[in-house]
């Protein structure tokens, strides 16, 4: 990016105060190529030193204009130096030079991620968007920008392969949620999605559950939380506790979430406040005996970051699948998909299955429905666990 302060000497720019004093920016890598930023000051040509970009002694606002130009030249030089090392948009440049702080979506969202300790998916999606549209303000991000972002993702291969539309949808869903959490109006990410692609089922078979139960992986000697052996146990616990997510399992505590032999918690899913109350069956109790990490169920939160653990263990997915002879890769969501799929196979009432896994219904009528009694929920839960024994 290049820039300079100059007089806009075009005839059609002339006003009763003189010609506008502007900041003229150019960038050969930008689609727009050039940007004119108005300073609000004017000068006639006879009152302007073109070589030094300064007002002459005869300029009626010379003192205030000199003070302004001294400050703006420092900011302009700083901006141009930064542009040698990073991508800077014209929109951000205008905000920076004019101090017109209308809010930068990326900066505000990242601050909120840190404040609320939101999941890593927010960081990944925000960094992705910011890499294509660096430090765009709220007013700059509109439907056209979002559509352009989608096209950029579609045209950017991942590991040499075309990016999945479902992955793009996941990014857009996260960006939509981030904008909503900032309580900003007119969410530009809402309602714009590429056509989803039907993906292969991540659900385990009954045989896969048995193979996971009989795994012979040894606990890793250098970690108290991770390792393949623990991961296999965590997947089974997620299944036996009612198809819960691993991100929820790591948070469960005996002193807060166990009531009368049941786990009771609100799902770690922003905005839904979905409540789960499931019985702890013997299969889950036996697995929990492997871990002496009270007050937590499992040691993951105590000894290792979830955001660090999952990417590390994902590198072993193919190895786990091959060694155990699983039909699918062992994704962290697989126990949840499996639990729901088994419920479907058993023709269990969808409303009961939703209550078990903590799915919320987003329609008015659902507000007037009472929860099913524990006896009904527990019977269905037991059926699903036993499905793999048939």
């Amino acid at each position: 990016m290049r820039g300079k302060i100059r007089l806009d000497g075009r005839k059609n720019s002339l006003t009763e105060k003189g010609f506008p004093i502007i900041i003229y920016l150019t960038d050969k890598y930008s689609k727009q190529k050039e940007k004119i930023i108005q300073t609000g000051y004017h000068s006639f040509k006879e009152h302007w030193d073109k070589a030094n970009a300064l007002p002459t002694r005869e300029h009626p606002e010379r003192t205030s204009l000199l003070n302004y130009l001294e400050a703006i030249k420092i900011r302009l030089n700083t901006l141009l130096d930064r542009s040698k090392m990073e991508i800077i948009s014209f929109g951000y440049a205008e905000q920076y030079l004019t101090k017109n702080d209308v809010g930068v979506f990326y900066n505000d969202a990242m601050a909120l991620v840190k404040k609320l300790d939101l999941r890593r998916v927010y960081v990944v999606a925000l960094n992705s968007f910011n890499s294509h549209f660096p430090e765009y303000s709220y007013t700059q991000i509109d439907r056209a920008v979002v559509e352009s972002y989608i096209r950029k993702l579609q045209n950017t291969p991942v590991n040499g392969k075309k990016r999945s539309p479902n992955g793009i949808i996941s990014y857009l869903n996260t960006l939509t949620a981030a904008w909503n959490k900032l309580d900003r109006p007119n969410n530009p990410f809402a309602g714009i999605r590429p056509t989803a692609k039907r993906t292969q089922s991540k659900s385990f078979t009954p045989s896969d559950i048995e193979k996971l139960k009989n795994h012979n992986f040894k606990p890793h000697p250098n970690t108290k939380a991770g390792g393949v052996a623990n991961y296999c146990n965590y997947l089974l616990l997620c299944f036996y506790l009612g198809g819960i997510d691993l991100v929820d399992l790591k948070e469960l505590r005996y002193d807060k979430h166990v009531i009368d032999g049941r786990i009771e918690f609100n799902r770690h899913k922003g905005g839904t406040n979905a409540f789960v109350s499931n019985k702890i069956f013997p299969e889950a109790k036996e697995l929990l005996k492997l871990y002496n990490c009270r007050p937590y169920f499992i040691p993951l939160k105590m000894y290792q970051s979830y955001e660090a653990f999952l990417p590390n263990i994902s590198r072993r997915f193919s190895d786990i699948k091959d060694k155990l002879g699983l039909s699918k890769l062992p994704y962290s969501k697989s126990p949840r998909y499996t639990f729901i799929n088994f419920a479907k196979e058993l023709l269990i009432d969808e409303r009961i299955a939703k209550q078990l896994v903590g799915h919320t219904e987003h329609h008015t009528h659902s507000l007037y429905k009472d929860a099913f009694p524990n006896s009904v929920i527990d019977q269905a839960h037991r059926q699903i666990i036993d499905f793999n024994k048939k």
Side-chain angles (χ1 to χ4, degrees), residues 1-15:
M1 180 179 290
R2 295 186 177 185
K4 59 183 178 180
I5 297 169
R6 74 183 198 186
L7 203 65
D8 183 358
R10 295 172 298 178
K11 288 184 179 181
N12 61 352
S13 298
L14 182 62
T15 70

Side-chain angles (χ1 to χ4, degrees), residues 217 316-326 328-330:
F217 293 111
R316 301 292 304 276
F317 280 179
S318 294
D319 185 46
I320 297 171
K321 176 180 180 290
D322 293 342
K323 287 189 176 180
L324 296 183
L326 303 177
K328 308 284 194 314
L329 290 173

Side-chain angles (χ1 to χ4, degrees), residues 260-276:
D260 294 331
R262 311 181 71 81
I263 54 166
E264 296 196 346
F265 67 95
N266 290 91
R267 285 186 63 205
H268 191 83
K269 184 179 181 183
T272 64
N273 203 34
F275 180 68
V276 172

Side-chain angles (χ1 to χ4, degrees), residues 55-278:
T56 65
R57 292 181 180 275
E58 292 75 23
H59 195 289
E61 295 181 285
R62 183 171 186 269
T63 301
S64 62
L65 182 52
L66 282 173
N67 290 335
Y68 169 79
L69 290 174
E70 181 181 6
I72 204 68
K73 284 181 179 179
I74 293 173
R75 294 178 70 82
L76 178 58
N77 289 333
T78 300
L79 182 77
L80 297 179
D81 285 341
R82 283 178 55 192
S83 72
K84 297 173 184 177
M85 305 296 294
E86 57 186 289
I87 298 173
I88 293 180
S89 68
F90 282 143
Y92 174 78
E94 182 172 9
Q95 289 179 42
Y96 181 80
L97 292 170
T98 62
K99 294 185 178 181
N100 181 22
D101 185 12
V102 296
V104 174
F105 169 61
Y106 174 77
N107 295 344
D108 290 351
M110 289 296 282
L112 192 69
V113 167
K114 184 176 181 180
K115 179 180 178 181
L116 300 181
D117 192 24
L118 298 176
R119 291 180 295 165
R120 179 174 169 75
V121 292
Y122 281 90
V123 176
V124 174
L126 287 165
N127 281 338
S128 169
F129 181 76
N130 195 60
S131 68
H132 294 289
F133 300 96
E135 297 184 319
Y136 265 41
S137 68
Y138 295 103
T139 54
Q140 288 178 278
I141 305 173
D142 55 17
R143 186 180 183 92
V145 167
V146 176
E147 289 174 343
S148 176
Y149 173 59
I150 293 172
R151 289 193 297 272
K152 288 176 183 292
L153 291 183
Q154 290 171 331
N155 295 328
T156 305
V158 178
N159 297 324
K161 299 180 181 178
K162 187 175 181 179
R163 188 187 296 267
S164 165
N166 296 351
I168 298 175
I169 291 171
S170 177
Y171 275 16
L172 292 170
N173 288 343
T174 302
L175 293 169
T176 301
W179 188 285
N180 288 338
K181 287 179 183 295
L182 290 166
D183 198 26
R184 305 288 303 199
N186 306 319
N187 192 328
F189 298 102
I192 306 177
R193 301 291 185 273
T195 303
K197 180 181 179 181
R198 187 176 182 86
T199 58
Q200 183 182 12
S201 171
K202 294 183 177 68
S203 173
F204 289 136
T205 65
S207 176
D208 290 333
I209 296 294
E210 287 298 316
K211 291 172 182 176
L212 280 170
K213 284 171 59 178
N214 297 321
H215 78 79
N216 58 357
F217 293 111
K218 302 299 180 185
H220 196 289
N222 296 325
T223 178
K224 296 180 179 179
V228 173
N230 280 348
Y231 183 68
C232 291
N233 294 336
Y234 297 163
L235 294 183
L236 288 168
L237 274 168
C238 287
F239 174 74
Y240 289 138
L241 290 173
I244 68 173
D245 285 318
L246 181 55
V247 71
D248 290 317
L249 176 62
K250 75 177 177 66
E251 300 286 342
L252 292 185
R253 297 168 57 118
Y254 290 98
D255 57 343
K256 290 184 177 182
H257 303 118
V258 177
I259 301 173
D260 294 331
R262 311 181 71 81
I263 54 166
E264 296 196 346
F265 67 95
N266 290 91
R267 285 186 63 205
H268 191 83
K269 184 179 181 183
T272 64
N273 203 34
F275 180 68
V276 172
S277 176
N278 293 338

Side-chain angles (χ1 to χ4, degrees), residues 311-348:
N312 286 338
I313 204 71
S314 67
R315 299 186 182 98
R316 301 292 304 276
F317 280 179
S318 294
D319 185 46
I320 297 171
K321 176 180 180 290
D322 293 342
K323 287 189 176 180
L324 296 183
L326 303 177
S327 65
K328 308 284 194 314
L329 290 173
Y331 296 104
S332 64
K333 283 277 190 181
S334 293
R336 186 169 184 80
Y337 291 132
T338 304
F339 196 89
I340 294 169
N341 189 53
F342 285 6
K344 190 188 304 181
E345 292 286 333
L346 289 164
L347 302 180
I348 289 173

